[in-house]
Amino acid sequence: MAYNVNDNIQQPVRDMVKEIGPDIQRIGYEWDRKPDAFCHDIFQILAGKGCVGFNMPKEYGGGGKSALEYATMIEEIAYWDAPSSLLAAVSQLAVDPVARHGNDDQKKAIIPKAAKGELIPAFALTEPNAGSDAANQQTTFTVDGDNFIVNGEKIFIMHGDVADVGVVFGKILEDGSRGKVSAVIVDLKQDGIKAETLKHKMGMKYATTGRISFKEVKVPKSNLLGEPGKGFKYAMMTLDGARIGIAAQATGICQRALDETIKYAKERIAFGSPIAKLQAIQWMIADMATKTEAARLMTYKAAELQDAGARFSLEAAQAKLFAAEAANFCVDRAMQIHSGYGYIGEFSPIEKLYRDQRVSEIYEGTSEIQRLVIAGNLLRG
Ligand code: COS
């Protein structure tokens, strides 16, 4: 049972997700066995329930929810089905820089449709040589009259294979921001763009990951987001919030692994009694429960700081680091306790949970990057 720091605002979110939980879980398990493809069925269920536009600005058709409500929603969806929580989260990650730094026309063009799930946006930052080193952008925006000509390649872009529009990071060559990253909104359904699904992903299969290449793509200069040369800062600001989302997702995975394990340990008989009676099993369950609760509280703390308008980069990185590693611990212990019944997917959700979890220590900044961000925040000044 998940603990709320604020029952009034968190419990209604949990109750709302419970209404779609069994459906997204059932569809998710079917899609997990298929070749990698974006699951529009789950995406539309989530959009219909308001989960896709949940924290997008209300004045542009979003739900306008707080960071704490958002974290609760992602945690609860991930409990039912982790990839579905990504299907809900990615549009909000991609829209975030538009909501923060876009002008009214840009917001009107993207947010209302994205909130309803009618348009799929992508956050296109990572490149083959700009992953952890996100500032090393090789994508170029060459000025040509009233247009930019975009050239470059983006990889590991969530929903990048199906996205309609991208917030694309790169460098403008002919202006004073030379060498600094800028962000441009790009219609991804136009000539010169090739988008592909990355194949054989270990987990999170139907919240797909793509490669997008840009060859001489014409984009109006009016699509520049905010100010030139501020793109890296914009990306980092968005990632601060997104890291709370991944911490919440990891917390949901922890709780699911714990609940499945408690249920199994009470039912599984060995040496004449349920294995829950064995101290070796009890210790593992105690550690799983303790890490789950700590992950949850760190996630909520970071979200509450964001809601209060305080700086929260440190707390978001700490929550993401801790929760992702806790989730790894929990799925691993769950697998150990379930043994063969965990390792083989026809018996329990543990095999899928184990695969879906692993990326939490990789995306939105690896655990190593979170440690750099934490140390940087502590040592600065
Ligand atoms: N919010 C606002 N501004 C920020 C910021 C934040 N969270 N983090 C950094 N900045 C600003 C700094 O203030 C600095 O601005 P000035 O140049 O005006 O001083 C600028 O950005 C550079 O900051 P810093 O020197 O700390 O950045 P680094 O190059 O050292 O950052 C890391 C390195 C590794 C932290 C960064 O590149 C990073 O987070 N990489 C991982 C990227 C990632 O998570 N990718 C996942 C895929 S995206 S889905």
Side-chain angles (χ1 to χ4, degrees):
M1 186 59 195
Y3 167 77
N4 292 327
V5 285
N6 185 336
D7 263 334
N8 289 341
I9 70 165
Q10 289 182 282
Q11 199 50 48
V13 176
R14 293 196 201 284
D15 294 342
M16 178 272 286
V17 174
K18 266 188 204 109
E19 290 169 17
I20 52 169
D23 275 349
I24 59 176
Q25 178 176 290
R26 179 182 48 76
I27 301 169
Y29 277 77
E30 286 164 20
W31 277 67
D32 185 59
R33 303 296 173 205
K34 297 183 183 186
D36 305 66
F38 183 87
C39 184
H40 288 278
D41 295 354
I42 293 179
F43 185 70
Q44 288 311 327
I45 291 174
L46 292 165
K49 204 71 183 161
C51 298
V52 171
F54 201 65
N55 72 357
M56 293 182 197
K58 219 174 184 149
E59 59 273 33
Y60 293 96
K65 301 291 185 189
S66 67
L68 182 61
E69 288 166 292
Y70 178 72
T72 309
M73 180 193 74
I74 296 294
E75 177 194 339
E76 203 66 40
I77 297 176
Y79 180 88
W80 287 98
D81 182 54
S84 295
S85 66
L86 263 192
L87 286 166
V90 170
S91 291
Q92 329 210 34
L93 158 80
V95 158
D96 183 74
V98 180
R100 283 174 193 276
H101 316 290
N103 59 36
D104 193 47
D105 287 345
Q106 292 169 338
K107 290 179 189 176
K108 276 189 189 142
I110 293 178
I111 303 177
K113 284 187 184 161
K116 284 196 220 133
E118 293 168 4
L119 173 142
I120 301 177
F123 180 81
L125 175 69
T126 302
E127 299 184 355
N129 292 308
S132 291
D133 186 7
N136 184 38
Q137 294 285 311
Q138 306 295 305
T139 295
T140 54
F141 307 136
T142 309
V143 176
D144 177 20
D146 288 338
N147 296 307
F148 292 124
I149 306 297
V150 182
N151 283 291
E153 185 180 326
K154 298 287 173 183
I155 195 162
F156 305 130
I157 305 304
M158 285 183 287
H159 302 178
D161 52 335
V162 291
D164 301 294
V165 66
V167 174
V168 178
F169 295 85
K171 290 178 181 173
I172 303 171
L173 297 182
E174 300 88 352
D175 76 349
S177 67
R178 192 185 177 95
K180 285 199 156 192
V181 177
S182 298
V184 169
I185 297 168
V186 181
D187 169 2
L188 295 176
K189 303 289 186 201
Q190 62 175 307
D191 289 348
I193 291 178
K194 188 172 168 209
E196 301 161 80
T197 308
L198 299 178
K199 300 281 192 304
H200 312 309
K201 200 154 71 140
M202 179 181 181
M204 302 285 193
K205 286 162 75 92
Y206 38 95
T208 45
T209 307
R211 176 194 285 115
I212 313 174
S213 46
F214 302 85
K215 201 169 172 201
E216 299 292 307
V217 175
K218 207 181 254 192
V219 176
K221 275 166 84 178
S222 56
N223 282 19
L224 177 74
L225 198 59
E227 293 175 44
K230 291 268 175 77
F232 184 74
K233 236 176 223 194
Y234 296 166
M236 291 299 115
M237 288 166 85
T238 290
L239 286 178
D240 280 344
R243 285 169 185 163
I244 300 177
I246 301 303
Q249 177 185 77
T251 302
I253 293 173
C254 286
Q255 187 69 50
R256 183 64 185 264
L258 177 64
D259 287 358
E260 293 291 336
T261 300
I262 290 173
K263 182 166 158 274
Y264 179 79
K266 285 180 174 171
E267 288 167 359
R268 171 73 174 162
I269 306 292
F271 308 108
S273 58
I275 60 170
K277 297 250 187 246
L278 302 172
Q279 211 173 51
I281 303 295
Q282 291 176 2
W283 286 19
M284 285 196 255
I285 289 175
D287 287 344
M288 289 168 75
T290 306
K291 285 179 194 288
T292 301
E293 206 56 10
R296 174 172 293 122
L297 293 176
M298 289 176 79
T299 303
Y300 295 168
K301 178 184 172 185
E304 286 189 311
L305 281 172
Q306 184 177 11
D307 285 333
R311 188 79 199 260
F312 62 98
S313 310
L314 169 67
E315 290 78 5
Q318 287 176 322
K320 199 271 188 186
L321 169 65
F322 187 87
E325 293 189 352
N328 182 291
F329 177 88
C330 288
V331 298
D332 185 73
R333 297 296 85 189
M335 177 75 78
Q336 195 62 21
I337 292 171
H338 281 76
S339 301
Y341 294 104
Y343 192 70
I344 296 181
E346 74 169 85
F347 295 115
S348 76
I350 303 303
E351 178 266 344
K352 178 174 182 294
L353 207 57
Y354 191 93
R355 286 186 288 107
D356 287 339
Q357 179 280 321
R358 190 59 183 83
V359 72
S360 31
E361 293 159 287
I362 296 171
Y363 58 15
E364 315 290 52
T366 60
S367 292
E368 292 68 33
I369 289 295
Q370 305 312 320
R371 288 184 167 88
L372 285 184
V373 172
I374 293 164
N377 274 275
L378 295 173
L379 298 172
R380 227 185 332 265

